[in-house]
Every structure is written in structure tokens, then in C-alpha cells.
Amino acid sequence: MVRTSCRRNVRILLVGDKGVGKTSIILSLVSEEFPEDVPSKAEEITIPADVTPELVPTHIVDYSETEQTEEVLTEEIQRAHVICVVYSVINQESLSNVSSYWLPLIRKSTPEPHCPIVLVGNKVDLINDSTYELAGSIMDEYPEIESFIECSAKTLVNISEVFYFAQNAVLHPTAPIYITDKQELTEGCVKALTRIFKICDFDNDGLLSDKELNLFQKRCFDTPLRKEAMQDIKTIISKNINGGISSNNMITLAGFLFLHNLFMQRGRSQTTWAVLRRFGYQENLDISKEYLYPKLTVPNGCSVELSHKGYQFLSSLFERYDKDKDGALCPKEVEAIFSVCPTPAFNSCISNMVSTNSKGWITQEGWFCFWSYTTLFDYATTLEYLAYFGYPITDYENQCTAVQVTRDKKSDILKKQSLRNVYVCHIIGEKGSGKSSLCQTHIGHTLKKENVELAANLHHHGTTNIVNVYCQEKYLILKNIDIRNSTEPLMPSDVNCDVACLVYDSSHTKSFEYVAKVFLKYFSGSNIPVLIVANKIDLGTVRQDYFIQPETFCKENNLPAPIEFSSIRPKKDLFVKLATMAAFPSVLHSLGLIGGYEMISLWRSGVSVKAGVSVTMIALLALFLAKFLKSEKSAR
């Protein structure tokens, strides 16, 4: 089933001079026969959704000047979604009052864009000619009149059509997408259809192939085109517009827009609206919030990550726009990929957040890292951009399938393993300890000694890269926690993370004291794994001016020995260790503190990473732990 409207109901109001037959029209529709006794006003009638063509409940409201005041009339006009202005074809005064009283009143009572109107001439059974010409001049003056129809309540001629036109004026309004007197699509409609064309042009060649046209047809109308119908469409385009069909028999953007202009000329606004609404557009040609932000429930303690389907979609999107196949998006390709979005999701500063090539262009790994970061901290933005990019959204599935909600962290700690793929490491240390340069090395920005200070001036909040943990790709986000001075307290958001990296300058005698105090105040006794890093070892190591030295402090507080690090000669082992500690928040954090004998004893006593883990995985974990411990001993 194709959803052609996002409206939940339609409210139709009938107005007009006394005696023109408003009430008779309503009663004739309901009873399917002309009423002998007509009351002065019909009660509000609701037509159930299942008996309307668009499956939308419809409310029909009558107006009577003998029973209702002008104030009530104004209120009803403001509540109406569409207004049928009725006149009698045998009463010239009632037709004159349409333009002299009723239409000005409706305009005055409703803000722009004005409420759509259907002009209805009743009692055609009493004359042989038509009032079409007179009605046409009124329609020229009032563009909000969507359609004109003559009917007879007595003979039931066009009675159901009156309400069909009224419903259609609400669900498929002409004014937002078509300029009747110019017979052309509105600027907003052209912009929306151009975006849809780009989304459906999967190979980015500026043409719709037969395969792409069929995928478009199935997405919008749930059925493919017959071969004969496809050829008929191309024939119509080629006969009416130059450049509508390419030399290799494919539909161009000009041909695509011409088709929709033709639909409007033939009174088939519902066809164009079916396409627009399939891609989330509502009556004002904005994409609806419901389409951009589908409901997603995230319990406390849980997080949101991209799912396999999400990564697949983003991968195909990247490959589609990487025209030169160099594994990176140049500025022109970035502009193209975001041409279907209101604004780009990132700018040139992206090179300070994720991996880029030597020219500062985002790589495919960097592309995945950016969206992994965005999904974790602002999943609504990811859902929004997936909709802009054209993620396949149907009546039964939306872009929520591109993400997944993880289990809560308490369960991770209880089960001694995290099943998540994205981890956050907070980099904490005094200003000048080298946090920024450490974060930059995480994304491959190896800094020369003379440029280390440059990293400290980069205004960013962290970096994201892919780290292998037991042959599995994990996304490790390093967030640089800004510290103005050593007396400034940390906020709960500064402490809440998957793993903490406390950084001190090994060449500065006063640097370790700060991280020691931070650990004792915020992390001692917590379930957050902590690794202390002795940074800037290239500048030399000095004795710390603290009552105990870093190695002793770590030993007394059951922490791994400080890891030596230099942004001049960085080692990726640091980031692997941080990601592994985050992935195994309980087991690895504790096992990494003890000697080989105690570790083997724990394994024999039944400590495991996960119930049911394979012998192969245990062997891999043991091997990794042995290397981990060896590196710690050498550091000591």
C-alpha cells in the first residue's frame, strides 16, 4: 500500500448563500437519494477511512446562517482543511456573492497560504447550459480555488465527485507544486523532484536507466513498470521536449520534470504527490519531522550504533560518489554527496576528527568513523541524514533499521564483556600534557617535534579511528576533556566513559600530581578501566614531584604501569590497549594487573570473557594478555 498523505483526517466545510442546496448535497451523499424534507442544517458527518479513496477519515461540516453567527462561521473556516463554496446555477446573485462576499471572507479569515477551495455549482438538473465560463473568471482571480464542478443534489449527478475533489484538494493540493496560469511546476516542487531524481540516479550519471526507473517506480508505487509502459513514457517525453531522453535512451532530469508537469496539466496531482510523500515531503514541501526523526527508544545506560545495514548503506553511498575510486572524497565529491541535504554534515575541519588522505580528504574509514561518532552522540542527526540520502523508507520500515540499540553498560560489566562496536575514551590531563597531540596521532597525524604545539591549538573535541580488537574492527573515540586549570572540578559527563586515559607530561615534574588526584577522586573504586600514559618521552623523563612515583602509584592502586608515549614516534599499541580495556571492562582490566601465574590460575578457576567462548578465542585472549603484560614489564 502506498501512503499518499501524512494527514490523519480531512475536514470539509460547505458555505454559500441560503437556499443554494448545501444541506441537500450532504444528505444526498449520505443517503444516496434526494431528501424530501431538508433541515436548515445537517449535523457534522464523519466518513470512515475505509470507505474513502485515500483511506483518510473525512469530516463534513454544514453552515447555516439562520442557526449560526458570523463568529461561528469564522471559527469553522479556520478549522476547515478545505471549503466548498456552493452557489445555485439558477441564481445569478448566489454566484456573484461567491466573489463579492464568500471568497473575500475566507481570505480574511485564513492566513497565507489560503485554505484550498472547491467551487460548486448546484442544481444543474434545472438548466441546459453551464456556468463554467463565469466560474472560470473567478478561478483566475482566486488561485486558491483548486477545482470547479457542477452537480445536482436532486439527481445525484457528481455528488460523490464534489467530496472527492474536496478531499483531493487537501491531500494533493495544486498550489504548492503547480502554477496554473503559467502551466509550470513551482520552484519548490522542481527543487524537491530534482533531489528525488539524484537519489534515484544510483550510478550518478545524470540519467535514469530502465533499472533505476523501475526501482523508483517500485519505491513510490509498489509495482514495476511494464516494458511497454516504460517505452510509452519515453515516447511521450521525446515527442514533447528536447533533451528529455538521452542518446542512449535514458530519461534525463528535464524529461523527469516534464513528466510531472504533464501529470499536473492532466489533473493528476495525486501522482506527483505520491512521489513527493514517499520521500517525506508534506504540503508546504518541507520534509516532515516524522520522516526525518522516527521514534527510537533508548533505555538508560544503553547507546546507539550503526547496524550492519547502516554501514552497508553508507558504504554504497561513499563508493557511489567516489567517482575517481581513490578511496577518498575530494571537495567536489563531498559537495555532490551532500547536494541532497539542506547542509553538509561536516566541513574541512573533518580532517581534525577522523582519518584523511595526504590532501585532507576524508577516506572511507574516516567516513565510517564520522557517522559512528555522530550516531553515538547524536543519533537523531544520523537518522535525519539517512533520510536525506535516500535510505529506503517504506510504510513498514524506516531508517531505524540502520542503527541498533546496545545493551546497558551494567550488563556489560556483569558479563565481563561489551558487545558494542563503538567505545569512548576520555583523555584527561592538565593543559600542556600533550592530550591534543595524542588524539591527533590516533588518526594518523604523526607530528614533527617542531609542530607539536600546533596540535594543542586545534579546536576539536576528539578523534575517532578503527582499532582491531581480536581481529574485530572497533571504533575508538578519544575525547579531549578540556581542563582550564588544575583546580577546576570534573563534571559527571567528563568522567562517564568506557575507558579513561590519564595523561601526564613525563618531562614536567609537576604533571603527574594532577592525574593522580583525578584518579583518586573520580575513578578509584569505579568500574571504569583506567590507563595512565607518560607522554612526551621524547623530551626525556624526570622524577615527578609527588609523594610517590607513577609506577608505585599504579601498583598500589591496582593499575597497569604507566604507558610511555610520544606523539613524535607514536605506537598504535596504546589505542589497541584502550579499546581492549573498553571491550572487556571487567576481565581485562583486572587480569592485566597480575602476573602470569595468577592469570593462569584464574583461567583454570573458571574466569572467562564470555560464557560459552570457544577454545580458540581463549587462546587468542591469553596470547594477547601475555603480550600486554610483557609490554607492561618492559615499561617498568
Side-chain angles (χ1 to χ4, degrees), residues 427-569:
I427 309 297
I428 302 173
E430 277 191 306
K431 188 175 181 180
S433 59
K435 297 180 296 173
S436 297
S437 57
L438 186 150
C439 288
Q440 286 296 296
T441 59
H442 180 44
I443 56 175
H445 290 186
T446 304
L447 303 178
K448 295 180 180 179
K449 188 172 184 178
E450 60 269 20
N451 292 330
V452 169
E453 291 303 317
L454 177 64
N457 296 324
L458 293 172
H459 297 288
H460 63 87
H461 296 289
T463 54
T464 308
N465 211 343
I466 298 174
V467 177
N468 280 300
V469 177
Y470 306 138
C471 302
Q472 289 186 329
E473 289 188 343
K474 303 291 185 181
Y475 292 85
L476 179 64
I477 299 170
L478 303 188
K479 291 205 72 177
N480 187 350
I481 304 302
D482 292 328
I483 304 296
R484 296 191 187 92
N485 57 71
S486 58
T487 60
E488 180 182 1
L490 296 180
M491 303 300 291
S493 58
D494 297 331
V495 178
N496 185 23
C497 56
D498 298 309
V499 58
C501 180
L502 306 185
V503 181
Y504 73 95
D505 180 354
S506 63
S507 68
H508 192 289
T509 58
K510 296 284 187 180
S511 187
F512 178 72
E513 181 180 1
Y514 176 77
V515 298
K517 289 181 177 179
V518 165
F519 174 80
L520 294 173
K521 183 174 181 179
Y522 299 102
F523 293 100
S524 180
S526 77
N527 290 313
I528 298 174
V530 175
L531 190 65
I532 293 180
V533 171
N535 202 10
K536 301 187 179 182
I537 60 167
D538 54 283
L539 299 179
T541 302
V542 299
R543 183 177 180 82
Q544 292 297 307
D545 188 8
Y546 190 59
F547 69 92
I548 56 175
Q549 292 306 294
E551 293 80 1
T552 306
F553 178 88
C554 291
K555 187 174 182 180
E556 290 186 358
N557 287 281
N558 291 327
L559 292 173
I563 302 298
E564 293 184 343
F565 189 81
S566 169
S567 297
I568 305 299
R569 297 182 296 276

Side-chain angles (χ1 to χ4, degrees), residues 50 222 293 305 421 509 594 607:
D50 56 359
D222 290 340
Y293 310 108
E305 298 178 357
N421 294 307
T509 58
I594 54 181
V607 175

Side-chain angles (χ1 to χ4, degrees), residues 114-244:
H114 298 298
C115 184
I117 292 168
V118 175
L119 191 56
V120 181
N122 190 26
K123 304 185 181 181
V124 292
D125 58 293
L126 300 179
I127 60 171
N128 294 322
D129 54 351
S130 173
T131 58
Y132 179 80
E133 189 173 339
L134 292 172
S137 61
I138 297 175
M139 293 177 71
D140 291 339
E141 186 180 352
Y142 291 87
E144 59 264 41
I145 299 177
E146 289 279 335
S147 54
F148 161 68
I149 187 171
E150 292 183 330
C151 68
S152 170
K154 188 169 186 178
T155 61
L156 306 185
V157 172
N158 288 340
I159 290 299
S160 60
E161 284 78 1
V162 168
F163 296 97
Y164 172 75
F165 284 176
Q167 189 182 63
N168 199 59
V170 178
L171 303 181
H172 315 120
T174 300
I177 62 175
Y178 190 67
I179 305 172
T180 305
D181 55 346
K182 294 183 179 180
Q183 292 195 327
E184 61 183 38
L185 300 173
T186 63
E187 183 181 347
C189 184
V190 170
K191 184 179 178 181
L193 291 174
T194 300
R195 173 180 168 270
I196 292 169
F197 181 90
K198 288 181 179 181
I199 289 172
C200 297
D201 177 19
F202 293 105
D203 56 8
N204 278 8
D205 63 353
L207 304 168
L208 286 186
S209 65
D210 290 357
K211 182 179 179 180
E212 290 168 339
L213 185 60
N214 249 331
L215 289 172
F216 163 80
Q217 178 75 12
K218 287 179 69 175
R219 177 164 182 169
C220 295
F221 304 102
D222 290 340
T223 181
L225 278 171
R226 291 181 295 105
K227 190 174 182 179
E228 298 80 4
M230 190 178 295
Q231 189 53 50
D232 289 343
I233 288 173
K234 292 180 180 179
T235 300
I236 291 171
I237 294 174
S238 62
K239 284 183 177 180
N240 288 276
I241 181 173
N242 291 328

